[in-house]
Amino acid sequence: MKLHLLPLLALLAAPAFAQPAPAPDYRKPESWLCRPDAKDPCSGDASTSRVTADATVTLDMLPASKKPKIDCFYVYPTVSTDPTPNSDMTADPAETFVAQAQAAPFRQACRVFAPLYRQVTLATLRDRMMGKPVTADPAMGLRDVSAAFADYMKHDNKGRGVILIGHSQGSGVLKAFIQTEIEGKPVAKQIIAAYLAGHNLLVPQGADVGGDLKSTPLCRSATQTGCVVAWVSFRDTMPVPPASLFGRPPTSAPAGMAVACTNPAALSGGRAPLRPLMVNRTGIVDNGTPAPKWAKGRNIYTPFVALPGLLSGECMNRENANVLSVGINADPADPRTDTINGDVMVGGQVVPGWGLHLIDMQVAMEDLVDLAKAQGQSWLRQRGK
């Protein structure tokens, strides 16, 4: 069984620890997966092939901003292949690959910082799903990320605005970080926005603020700052099953709560075209399924593939779940692919309760990058910078 990116903070009960392990030393360069002053997965090849409906292919190098005035702080999802309950502080290929897929495109908008952290591993996920006892410390990741952010603020920030970016377990860690280290504190004024993909962020039904985050509202425009964008993705063509991990509040949630959904391509609501950056290989934010043939007669070798006009999305209540409903505008008559990968697979079968969890970020990556640029500019204007 091979599963990626479980929102483990929601599934694991924290065992009692007499003495929490100390946080890593984030003064050491090797404690970081990405920093703007290093050659790392966030500064590597992000070239993109743009494939239009008629199979015309153009190359875009996605160049980094020369002098970005804002920063991004990225916390990666559950990908560690370490056999231990919590991961170590050495990046394995999965951690490197996911940073390239999810964080590298943001270098067009910001300096990217991504700490390594001792996350709950895939091995623990497998044990938990098989009913075995687990000994992972789910709070360790929060302690590490908090220490990394404190180091960043002390040595690197220098008054700059910051966008917090996470997916799955990374989003859960960042949600807890905002609750404990951001809201109600002076640093909150420097948080441009938080992008919390693939995680159930709770808000009161029909409201934009309250619930999990007490003072941080949902983003409703590209000029709004100090807000959060959150969503979980499902195909239009697949129902959200009753046992889905995403889109519905847990039974332990207070009455009247709903899972937040903000469409990165249309924050104010409604259906809009999505601008994906799909990963052109097996093994990056994927479950072993090969990338589709993007267009007949075209061999694509770049790390990313953009597919203008192929996808659209809308935040919808489906089967009593709030999800980003993703549609494929397929045309069997044209040479471009009519499908995308991104489902969780076990034994060759789709696990419907996960939706498009593996590509929550990829389906709207260029929308997110442009949103980061717009919100960053708005934050800078507000401060006369």
Side-chain angles (χ1 to χ4, degrees), residues 6 8 12 78-88 95 118-127 136 169:
L6 182 70
L8 284 157
L12 293 173
T78 312
V79 292
S80 175
T81 57
D82 294 341
T84 49
N86 287 84
S87 66
D88 59 25
E95 290 157 334
R118 293 168 296 177
Q119 66 170 211
V120 179
T121 61
L122 291 168
T124 294
L125 161 57
R126 287 190 289 268
D127 288 346
Q169 184 176 171

Coordinates of all heavy atoms in Angstrom, one line a residue, residues 6 8 12 78-88 95 118-127 136 169:
L6 N -1.3 12.3 3.8 CA -2.4 12.2 4.7 C -2.4 13.4 5.7 O -1.4 13.8 6.2 CB -2.3 10.9 5.5 CG -3.5 10.7 6.5 CD1 -4.7 10.4 5.8 CD2 -3.1 9.6 7.5
L8 N -2.3 14.0 8.7 CA -2.1 13.1 9.9 C -2.4 13.8 11.2 O -2.8 13.2 12.2 CB -0.7 12.6 9.9 CG -0.4 11.5 8.9 CD1 1.1 11.4 8.6 CD2 -0.8 10.2 9.5
L12 N -4.1 11.3 14.1 CA -3.3 10.7 15.1 C -3.5 11.3 16.5 O -3.5 12.5 16.6 CB -1.8 10.8 14.8 CG -1.4 10.0 13.6 CD1 0.1 10.4 13.2 CD2 -1.5 8.5 13.8
T78 N 2.8 15.3 3.8 CA 3.3 14.0 4.3 C 3.9 13.2 3.1 O 3.2 12.6 2.3 CB 2.2 13.1 4.9 OG1 1.4 13.9 5.8 CG2 2.7 11.9 5.6
V79 N 5.2 13.2 3.1 CA 5.9 12.5 2.0 C 7.1 11.7 2.5 O 7.7 10.9 1.7 CB 6.4 13.4 0.9 CG1 5.2 14.0 0.1 CG2 7.3 14.5 1.4
S80 N 7.5 11.8 3.7 CA 8.8 11.2 4.2 C 8.7 9.7 4.1 O 7.7 9.0 4.6 CB 9.1 11.6 5.6 OG 10.2 10.9 6.1
T81 N 9.7 9.1 3.5 CA 9.8 7.6 3.4 C 10.7 7.0 4.4 O 11.0 5.8 4.4 CB 10.4 7.2 2.0 OG1 11.7 7.9 1.8 CG2 9.4 7.7 0.9
D82 N 11.0 7.8 5.4 CA 11.8 7.3 6.6 C 11.0 6.2 7.3 O 9.8 6.3 7.4 CB 12.2 8.4 7.6 CG 13.1 9.4 7.0 OD1 13.8 9.1 6.0 OD2 13.2 10.5 7.5
P83 N 11.7 5.1 7.7 CA 10.9 4.0 8.4 C 10.5 4.3 9.8 O 9.8 3.5 10.5 CB 11.9 2.9 8.4 CG 13.3 3.5 8.4 CD 13.1 4.8 7.6
T84 N 11.0 5.5 10.4 CA 10.7 5.8 11.8 C 9.4 6.5 11.9 O 8.8 7.0 10.9 CB 11.9 6.7 12.3 OG1 12.0 7.8 11.3 CG2 13.2 6.0 12.4
P85 N 8.8 6.6 13.1 CA 7.5 7.3 13.3 C 7.6 8.7 12.9 O 6.6 9.2 12.3 CB 7.3 7.1 14.8 CG 8.1 5.9 15.2 CD 9.3 5.9 14.4
N86 N 8.6 9.5 13.3 CA 8.8 10.8 12.8 C 10.0 10.8 11.9 O 11.0 10.1 12.1 CB 9.0 11.8 14.0 CG 7.8 12.1 14.7 OD1 7.4 11.3 15.6 ND2 7.1 13.2 14.4
S87 N 10.0 11.7 10.9 CA 11.1 11.7 10.0 C 12.4 12.3 10.6 O 12.3 13.0 11.7 CB 10.7 12.6 8.7 OG 10.6 13.9 9.1
D88 N 13.5 12.1 10.0 CA 14.8 12.7 10.4 C 14.9 14.1 9.7 O 14.0 14.5 9.0 CB 16.0 11.8 10.1 CG 16.1 11.4 8.7 OD1 15.7 12.2 7.8 OD2 16.7 10.4 8.4
E95 N 10.9 14.3 -0.4 CA 10.8 15.7 0.1 C 11.4 16.7 -0.9 O 10.8 17.8 -1.1 CB 11.6 15.8 1.4 CG 10.8 15.0 2.5 CD 11.7 14.6 3.7 OE1 12.9 14.4 3.5 OE2 11.2 14.4 4.8
R118 N 10.5 17.4 11.4 CA 10.3 16.0 11.7 C 8.9 15.6 11.7 O 8.2 15.4 12.7 CB 11.0 15.7 13.1 CG 12.5 15.9 13.0 CD 13.1 15.9 14.4 NE 12.7 17.0 15.2 CZ 13.1 17.2 16.4 NH1 13.9 16.4 17.0 NH2 12.6 18.3 17.1
Q119 N 8.4 15.4 10.5 CA 7.0 15.2 10.3 C 6.6 13.7 10.6 O 7.5 12.9 10.7 CB 6.5 15.5 8.8 CG 7.1 14.6 7.8 CD 6.5 14.7 6.4 OE1 6.5 13.8 5.7 NE2 6.1 15.9 6.1
V120 N 5.3 13.5 10.8 CA 4.8 12.1 10.9 C 4.9 11.5 9.6 O 4.6 12.0 8.5 CB 3.4 12.1 11.4 CG1 2.8 10.7 11.5 CG2 3.3 12.8 12.8
T121 N 5.5 10.3 9.5 CA 5.9 9.7 8.2 C 4.8 8.8 7.6 O 3.8 8.5 8.2 CB 7.2 8.8 8.5 OG1 6.8 7.7 9.4 CG2 8.3 9.6 9.0
L122 N 5.1 8.4 6.4 CA 4.2 7.5 5.7 C 4.2 6.1 6.4 O 3.2 5.4 6.4 CB 4.7 7.3 4.2 CG 4.5 8.5 3.3 CD1 5.3 8.3 2.0 CD2 3.0 8.7 3.0
A123 N 5.3 5.7 7.0 CA 5.3 4.5 7.7 C 4.3 4.5 8.9 O 3.5 3.5 9.1 CB 6.7 4.2 8.3
T124 N 4.2 5.6 9.6 CA 3.2 5.7 10.6 C 1.8 5.7 10.1 O 0.9 5.2 10.6 CB 3.4 7.0 11.4 OG1 4.7 6.9 12.1 CG2 2.3 7.3 12.4
L125 N 1.6 6.4 8.9 CA 0.3 6.4 8.2 C -0.1 5.0 7.9 O -1.3 4.6 8.2 CB 0.4 7.2 7.0 CG -0.7 7.0 5.9 CD1 -2.0 7.2 6.4 CD2 -0.4 7.8 4.7
R126 N 0.8 4.1 7.4 CA 0.4 2.8 7.1 C 0.0 2.0 8.4 O -1.0 1.3 8.4 CB 1.5 2.1 6.4 CG 1.7 2.6 4.9 CD 2.7 1.7 4.2 NE 4.1 1.9 4.7 CZ 4.9 2.8 4.1 NH1 4.5 3.5 3.1 NH2 6.1 2.9 4.6
D127 N 0.8 2.2 9.4 CA 0.5 1.5 10.7 C -0.8 1.9 11.2 O -1.6 1.1 11.7 CB 1.6 1.8 11.7 CG 2.9 1.1 11.4 OD1 2.9 0.2 10.5 OD2 3.9 1.4 12.0
A136 N 4.4 7.9 16.9 CA 4.8 9.2 16.4 C 4.3 10.4 17.3 O 3.3 10.3 17.9 CB 4.3 9.4 15.0
Q169 N -0.5 17.6 5.6 CA 0.1 17.7 7.0 C 0.7 19.1 7.2 O 0.6 19.7 8.2 CB 1.1 16.6 7.2 CG 1.7 16.7 8.6 CD 2.7 15.5 8.9 OE1 3.3 15.5 10.0 NE2 2.7 14.5 8.1

